Structure formats: structure tokens, C-alpha cells
């Protein structure tokens, strides 16, 4: 009985992790392309890194919410 309550949550988290893999890989690729141009600028590199990490958090949240609503509405 308890396992059935966690099944939609586990499915939503699983799909979020699966999508986060390619999303974070894309963010990393964009980061590397931009950082190649900003190499000597340490403050810009720090801000770019921070932006990439925040983008990965927001993308995971924006991926989880629709998956959660889709799974729980079925």
C-alpha cells in the first residue's frame, strides 16, 4: 500500500533525472564554448559558472512539475 503512494513520485523523479542528464550536458557544452572566449576573466567565469548551476536547478524544477502533473492526472 505504501509503495503505491510513492510510485508517481518515483516516476516523476526518474524522468526528471533522465531529462536532467541531457539538459546539464547541454548547459556544460554552452558553458565550455563561452568560457573558451572568457578564459582570462575570472569574475566573468565565476558568474558564468553560477549561471550554469542555477540554470540546471531551474531546468530540473521545470521538468519535474509537468511530469508530476502528467503522471498524477492519469
Amino acid at each position: 500500500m505504501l509503495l503505491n503512494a510513492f510510485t508517481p513520485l518515483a516516476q516523476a523523479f526518474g524522468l526528471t533525472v533522465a531529462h536532467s542528464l541531457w539538459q546539464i550536458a547541454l548547459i556544460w557544452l554552452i558553458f565550455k564554448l563561452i568560457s573558451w572566449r572568457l578564459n582570462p576573466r575570472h569574475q566573468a567565469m565565476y558568474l558564468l559558472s553560477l549561471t550554469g548551476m542555477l540554470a540546471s536547478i531551474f531546468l530540473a524544477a521545470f521538468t519535474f512539475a509537468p511530469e508530476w502533473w502528467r503522471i498524477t492526472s492519469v
Side-chain angles (χ1 to χ4, degrees), residues 1 6 9-10 12 15 17 21 30 34 47 49 54 61 64-65:
M1 168 106 37
F6 287 113
L9 184 63
L15 288 169
V17 168
L21 291 173
I30 293 169
I34 295 172
L47 291 175
S49 301
L54 289 174
F64 177 78

Short mmCIF file of all heavy atoms in Angstrom, two decimals, residues 1 6 9-10 12 15 17 21 30 34 47 49 54 61 64-65:
data_model
loop_
_atom_site.label_atom_id
_atom_site.label_comp_id
_atom_site.label_asym_id
_atom_site.label_seq_id
_atom_site.Cartn_x
_atom_site.Cartn_y
_atom_site.Cartn_z
N MET A 1 0.82 -1.19 0.00
CA MET A 1 0.00 0.00 0.00
C MET A 1 0.87 1.26 0.00
O MET A 1 0.60 2.18 -0.74
CB MET A 1 -0.94 -0.03 1.20
CG MET A 1 -1.61 1.27 1.46
SD MET A 1 -3.31 1.58 1.11
CE MET A 1 -4.29 0.23 1.42
N PHE A 6 4.14 6.07 -3.40
CA PHE A 6 5.39 6.66 -3.86
C PHE A 6 5.66 6.42 -5.34
O PHE A 6 6.58 6.99 -5.89
CB PHE A 6 6.57 6.13 -3.04
CG PHE A 6 6.62 6.69 -1.66
CD1 PHE A 6 6.41 5.87 -0.56
CD2 PHE A 6 6.86 8.02 -1.44
CE1 PHE A 6 6.46 6.39 0.72
CE2 PHE A 6 6.91 8.56 -0.17
CZ PHE A 6 6.71 7.73 0.92
N LEU A 9 5.57 9.62 -7.54
CA LEU A 9 6.70 10.48 -7.18
C LEU A 9 8.01 9.90 -7.73
O LEU A 9 8.84 10.64 -8.28
CB LEU A 9 6.79 10.63 -5.67
CG LEU A 9 7.85 11.57 -5.13
CD1 LEU A 9 7.60 12.99 -5.60
CD2 LEU A 9 7.89 11.50 -3.62
N ALA A 10 8.19 8.59 -7.60
CA ALA A 10 9.40 7.95 -8.12
C ALA A 10 9.47 8.07 -9.64
O ALA A 10 10.54 8.29 -10.20
CB ALA A 10 9.44 6.49 -7.70
N ALA A 12 8.13 10.48 -11.49
CA ALA A 12 8.43 11.87 -11.81
C ALA A 12 9.90 12.19 -11.56
O ALA A 12 10.55 12.85 -12.38
CB ALA A 12 7.54 12.81 -11.01
N LEU A 15 12.04 10.45 -14.36
CA LEU A 15 12.01 11.18 -15.62
C LEU A 15 12.77 12.49 -15.52
O LEU A 15 13.43 12.91 -16.47
CB LEU A 15 10.56 11.42 -16.05
CG LEU A 15 9.83 10.19 -16.53
CD1 LEU A 15 8.34 10.47 -16.67
CD2 LEU A 15 10.40 9.71 -17.85
N VAL A 17 15.42 13.02 -13.62
CA VAL A 17 16.85 12.68 -13.68
C VAL A 17 17.26 12.35 -15.11
O VAL A 17 18.31 12.79 -15.59
CB VAL A 17 17.17 11.51 -12.72
CG1 VAL A 17 18.56 10.95 -12.97
CG2 VAL A 17 17.03 11.95 -11.28
N LEU A 21 20.02 14.74 -17.35
CA LEU A 21 21.31 14.32 -17.91
C LEU A 21 21.63 15.06 -19.20
O LEU A 21 22.71 15.63 -19.37
CB LEU A 21 21.32 12.81 -18.15
CG LEU A 21 21.32 11.95 -16.89
CD1 LEU A 21 21.17 10.49 -17.26
CD2 LEU A 21 22.58 12.19 -16.09
N ILE A 30 27.47 24.61 -23.62
CA ILE A 30 27.37 26.06 -23.80
C ILE A 30 28.36 26.78 -22.90
O ILE A 30 29.02 27.74 -23.31
CB ILE A 30 25.92 26.52 -23.53
CG1 ILE A 30 24.99 25.97 -24.61
CG2 ILE A 30 25.83 28.04 -23.47
CD1 ILE A 30 23.52 26.13 -24.30
N ILE A 34 31.40 29.29 -24.19
CA ILE A 34 31.52 30.67 -23.74
C ILE A 34 32.79 30.87 -22.92
O ILE A 34 33.47 31.89 -23.07
CB ILE A 34 30.27 31.09 -22.94
CG1 ILE A 34 29.03 31.08 -23.85
CG2 ILE A 34 30.45 32.47 -22.33
CD1 ILE A 34 27.73 31.30 -23.13
N LEU A 47 30.73 34.12 -12.66
CA LEU A 47 29.32 34.41 -12.92
C LEU A 47 28.73 33.45 -13.95
O LEU A 47 27.57 33.05 -13.83
CB LEU A 47 29.17 35.86 -13.38
CG LEU A 47 29.46 36.91 -12.31
CD1 LEU A 47 29.41 38.32 -12.91
CD2 LEU A 47 28.51 36.78 -11.15
N SER A 49 29.72 30.34 -14.39
CA SER A 49 29.54 29.07 -13.68
C SER A 49 28.31 29.09 -12.80
O SER A 49 27.54 28.13 -12.76
CB SER A 49 30.77 28.78 -12.80
OG SER A 49 31.92 28.71 -13.57
N LEU A 54 22.64 27.52 -11.69
CA LEU A 54 21.26 27.95 -11.45
C LEU A 54 20.34 27.48 -12.58
O LEU A 54 19.20 27.08 -12.33
CB LEU A 54 21.19 29.46 -11.29
CG LEU A 54 21.78 30.02 -10.00
CD1 LEU A 54 21.80 31.54 -10.03
CD2 LEU A 54 21.02 29.52 -8.80
N ALA A 61 13.61 21.73 -12.05
CA ALA A 61 12.30 22.06 -11.46
C ALA A 61 11.23 22.18 -12.54
O ALA A 61 10.11 21.70 -12.37
CB ALA A 61 12.40 23.35 -10.66
N PHE A 64 10.41 18.64 -13.63
CA PHE A 64 9.68 17.84 -12.64
C PHE A 64 8.20 18.20 -12.59
O PHE A 64 7.34 17.32 -12.56
CB PHE A 64 10.30 18.00 -11.25
CG PHE A 64 9.55 17.25 -10.19
CD1 PHE A 64 9.71 15.89 -10.05
CD2 PHE A 64 8.67 17.91 -9.34
CE1 PHE A 64 9.02 15.18 -9.09
CE2 PHE A 64 7.97 17.22 -8.37
CZ PHE A 64 8.14 15.85 -8.24
N ALA A 65 7.88 19.48 -12.58
CA ALA A 65 6.49 19.92 -12.39
C ALA A 65 5.56 19.37 -13.47
O ALA A 65 4.53 18.77 -13.14
CB ALA A 65 6.42 21.44 -12.31
#
